Amino acid sequence: MSQQALEIYMNDHLAGSTTGQLISRHLADRHRSSLHGDELRRVADEIEEDRQSLLDLMATLDVPARRHKVYAGWLAEKARLLKLNGRVTRRSGLSTVIELEALRLGIEGKSLLWQSLLSLTPKKDLDEDRLHTLLDRAREQIDTVETVRREAVGAGLG
């Protein structure tokens, strides 16, 4: 992978991680007193740490963070709030389902990033153990979000 391709790839994931961090924090805050509040807060905290790990890896690889990509991720999350859910003034159960599905897709993408970087470890002198830890954590996050999503489907789509 050329340096230019690596910069584009990692900055695209930085935009996605910005969106994921905002969605996960929104879900954790909205559902803090629910049965899964602690799990969602843990996932949100980990996603924030994972975003920092991505920034650290970018620095290691001399990949500058592109502000416009970060802003694009922020705007994507804000645009998500405009999506109609069948109600004008309040949330519906569908909103939670869609948010959890978006979060799961983002975590899936993050796990692919860690896998891709693992394939570059021999050439780029990356910390293979750290990448395996991040990959394992992403898989745990997927399992947690999927459990909550399944319950939300039952409640939201009935």
Side-chain angles (χ1 to χ4, degrees):
M1 186 180 288
S2 73
Q3 184 66 20
Q4 182 182 17
L6 184 62
E7 288 181 16
I8 293 168
Y9 180 71
M10 294 187 81
N11 272 285
D12 285 350
H13 275 280
L14 180 60
S17 73
T18 300
T19 304
Q21 180 181 0
L22 293 168
I23 291 172
S24 66
R25 189 59 59 201
H26 172 79
L27 279 163
D29 290 346
R30 177 152 304 272
H31 300 280
R32 68 181 162 269
S33 60
S34 74
L35 176 64
H36 296 289
D38 290 342
E39 293 171 289
L40 290 171
R41 187 174 54 253
R42 177 187 52 79
V43 168
D45 291 345
E46 289 176 358
I47 287 172
E48 191 172 326
E49 292 170 9
D50 294 346
R51 185 175 183 282
Q52 185 58 53
S53 293
L54 173 57
L55 287 166
D56 294 344
L57 284 163
M58 290 171 72
T60 298
L61 295 169
D62 282 333
V63 172
R66 303 289 182 207
R67 288 183 193 249
H68 69 279
K69 295 282 186 159
V70 173
Y71 294 138
W74 182 86
L75 282 172
E77 198 280 333
K78 298 308 172 198
R80 175 197 60 79
L81 297 174
L82 299 174
K83 185 207 174 294
L84 298 176
N85 62 11
R87 297 190 180 155
V88 177
T89 58
R90 60 187 171 96
R91 287 176 54 86
S92 74
L94 180 59
S95 299
T96 299
V97 172
I98 297 297
E99 290 167 352
L100 287 164
E101 288 179 354
L103 183 59
R104 178 174 171 168
L105 287 170
I107 298 168
E108 294 272 0
K110 176 177 62 177
S111 72
L112 294 172
L113 166 69
W114 302 143
Q115 290 175 44
S116 296
L117 292 176
L118 272 166
S119 72
L120 299 177
T121 54
K123 296 176 187 171
K124 300 290 186 178
D125 196 33
L126 297 173
D127 184 346
E128 188 173 348
D129 291 336
R130 177 72 178 137
L131 288 168
H132 277 293
T133 298
L134 290 165
L135 180 57
D136 291 342
R137 183 156 77 174
R139 290 177 177 149
E140 290 171 12
Q141 291 168 358
I142 289 166
D143 291 343
T144 299
V145 170
E146 179 58 16
T147 298
V148 178
R149 187 197 71 82
R150 285 184 185 172
E151 289 185 23
V153 165
L157 301 178

